[in-house]
Amino acid sequence: MAEFGLPDPSAGLAGGSTDVAFIRLPSATHGLAITPLFTEPCVVGVSAAHPMSRRERVRVADLLDEPIAIGRTDDGVWRDFWTLAGHRPGKRARNVVETHSQREEGEVVAAGMACSVTPAAARRHSPHPGVRFITIGDHPGSVVAVAHRSGGTNPLVASFVDSAVVVRDRETQILHTIEGAPEAG
């Protein structure tokens, strides 16, 4: 088992250092076989002192002029999704703060240097007293998938993927909670 940081959204698959991985989409997936497991809503992390911090919900349009923190990566698909590039036809985010880790990203947000578009799981797994997570009502969710390199799949990889699908199909209540029920944050 290995954990990969923000610079490698493929979790080692692209470079061949892993055989199978849980990844978050969208990201560059050329040469990978992907099995979607669930889609998680996106939130924006803002400083507790930010004017939006009192809101329960925002729209992408509310965020387009905000500086955005993003993990440093060469994966343009990943970067475009989390910097809201699809909502800025022909324009890039005007101020992007690149970070090396989720912890660093949280500190940048808490300091008021940028906001961070992130999966809703950040509310549970990356709480910070200086950060408020707000639901983004009109940005597509991020898919969590199990992935492996395309081509001749080894039996252990196939078994791992099959097991992930069995758990996904069995745990419908958990998936319903992840995919649809916004949390207080």
Side-chain angles (χ1 to χ4, degrees), residues 60 64 80-81 83-91 139:
V60 169
L64 294 179
D80 286 351
F81 182 80
T83 61
L84 307 171
H87 301 277
R88 307 172 199 273
K91 297 187 337 184
H139 189 51

Short mmCIF file of all heavy atoms in Angstrom, two decimals, residues 60 64 80-81 83-91 139:
data_model
loop_
_atom_site.label_atom_id
_atom_site.label_comp_id
_atom_site.label_asym_id
_atom_site.label_seq_id
_atom_site.Cartn_x
_atom_site.Cartn_y
_atom_site.Cartn_z
N VAL A 60 -20.59 28.64 -8.77
CA VAL A 60 -19.27 28.81 -9.38
C VAL A 60 -19.01 30.28 -9.69
O VAL A 60 -17.91 30.78 -9.46
CB VAL A 60 -19.13 27.93 -10.64
CG1 VAL A 60 -17.87 28.28 -11.41
CG2 VAL A 60 -19.13 26.45 -10.27
N LEU A 64 -15.27 32.80 -9.29
CA LEU A 64 -14.40 33.00 -10.45
C LEU A 64 -13.36 34.11 -10.27
O LEU A 64 -12.32 34.08 -10.92
CB LEU A 64 -15.23 33.24 -11.71
CG LEU A 64 -16.06 32.04 -12.16
CD1 LEU A 64 -16.87 32.38 -13.40
CD2 LEU A 64 -15.18 30.82 -12.38
N ASP A 80 -7.46 21.77 -14.36
CA ASP A 80 -8.58 22.53 -14.93
C ASP A 80 -9.86 22.33 -14.12
O ASP A 80 -10.61 23.28 -13.90
CB ASP A 80 -8.81 22.16 -16.39
CG ASP A 80 -7.77 22.74 -17.33
OD1 ASP A 80 -6.94 23.57 -16.88
OD2 ASP A 80 -7.77 22.35 -18.50
N PHE A 81 -10.12 21.10 -13.69
CA PHE A 81 -11.34 20.84 -12.92
C PHE A 81 -11.34 21.60 -11.60
O PHE A 81 -12.31 22.28 -11.26
CB PHE A 81 -11.50 19.33 -12.65
CG PHE A 81 -12.75 18.99 -11.90
CD1 PHE A 81 -13.97 18.91 -12.58
CD2 PHE A 81 -12.73 18.73 -10.54
CE1 PHE A 81 -15.14 18.59 -11.90
CE2 PHE A 81 -13.89 18.40 -9.86
CZ PHE A 81 -15.10 18.33 -10.53
N THR A 83 -9.57 24.19 -10.65
CA THR A 83 -9.45 25.65 -10.75
C THR A 83 -10.64 26.26 -11.49
O THR A 83 -10.62 27.44 -11.80
CB THR A 83 -8.15 26.08 -11.45
OG1 THR A 83 -8.12 25.56 -12.77
CG2 THR A 83 -6.92 25.65 -10.67
N LEU A 84 -11.64 25.43 -11.78
CA LEU A 84 -12.89 25.88 -12.43
C LEU A 84 -12.66 26.39 -13.84
O LEU A 84 -13.41 27.23 -14.34
CB LEU A 84 -13.59 26.95 -11.57
CG LEU A 84 -13.82 26.58 -10.11
CD1 LEU A 84 -14.32 27.80 -9.32
CD2 LEU A 84 -14.80 25.43 -9.98
N ALA A 85 -11.64 25.88 -14.52
CA ALA A 85 -11.29 26.35 -15.87
C ALA A 85 -12.45 26.20 -16.85
O ALA A 85 -12.62 27.04 -17.74
CB ALA A 85 -10.06 25.62 -16.40
N GLY A 86 -13.25 25.17 -16.72
CA GLY A 86 -14.38 24.97 -17.63
C GLY A 86 -15.43 26.05 -17.53
O GLY A 86 -16.27 26.20 -18.42
N HIS A 87 -15.40 26.81 -16.47
CA HIS A 87 -16.35 27.91 -16.27
C HIS A 87 -15.75 29.26 -16.66
O HIS A 87 -16.38 30.29 -16.47
CB HIS A 87 -16.79 27.95 -14.80
CG HIS A 87 -17.45 26.69 -14.35
ND1 HIS A 87 -18.78 26.43 -14.58
CD2 HIS A 87 -16.95 25.61 -13.71
CE1 HIS A 87 -19.07 25.25 -14.08
NE2 HIS A 87 -17.98 24.74 -13.55
N ARG A 88 -14.55 29.24 -17.20
CA ARG A 88 -13.84 30.47 -17.60
C ARG A 88 -13.45 30.36 -19.06
O ARG A 88 -12.25 30.26 -19.35
CB ARG A 88 -12.56 30.63 -16.80
CG ARG A 88 -12.67 30.58 -15.33
CD ARG A 88 -11.24 30.55 -14.74
NE ARG A 88 -11.22 30.07 -13.40
CZ ARG A 88 -11.41 30.84 -12.33
NH1 ARG A 88 -11.59 32.10 -12.47
NH2 ARG A 88 -11.38 30.31 -11.14
N PRO A 89 -14.39 30.36 -19.97
CA PRO A 89 -14.04 30.14 -21.38
C PRO A 89 -12.89 31.05 -21.83
O PRO A 89 -12.98 32.27 -21.74
CB PRO A 89 -15.33 30.47 -22.13
CG PRO A 89 -16.41 30.32 -21.12
CD PRO A 89 -15.79 30.66 -19.79
N GLY A 90 -11.81 30.41 -22.27
CA GLY A 90 -10.67 31.16 -22.79
C GLY A 90 -9.82 31.86 -21.76
O GLY A 90 -8.87 32.54 -22.10
N LYS A 91 -10.15 31.72 -20.46
CA LYS A 91 -9.38 32.40 -19.42
C LYS A 91 -8.92 31.40 -18.38
O LYS A 91 -9.57 30.41 -18.13
CB LYS A 91 -10.24 33.47 -18.72
CG LYS A 91 -10.69 34.58 -19.62
CD LYS A 91 -11.41 35.71 -18.91
CE LYS A 91 -12.05 35.43 -17.60
NZ LYS A 91 -12.79 36.53 -17.03
N HIS A 139 -21.32 23.00 -9.60
CA HIS A 139 -20.09 22.40 -10.14
C HIS A 139 -20.25 20.89 -10.08
O HIS A 139 -20.72 20.36 -9.07
CB HIS A 139 -18.89 22.84 -9.30
CG HIS A 139 -17.55 22.47 -9.87
ND1 HIS A 139 -17.20 22.76 -11.17
CD2 HIS A 139 -16.48 21.84 -9.32
CE1 HIS A 139 -15.96 22.33 -11.38
NE2 HIS A 139 -15.51 21.77 -10.28
#
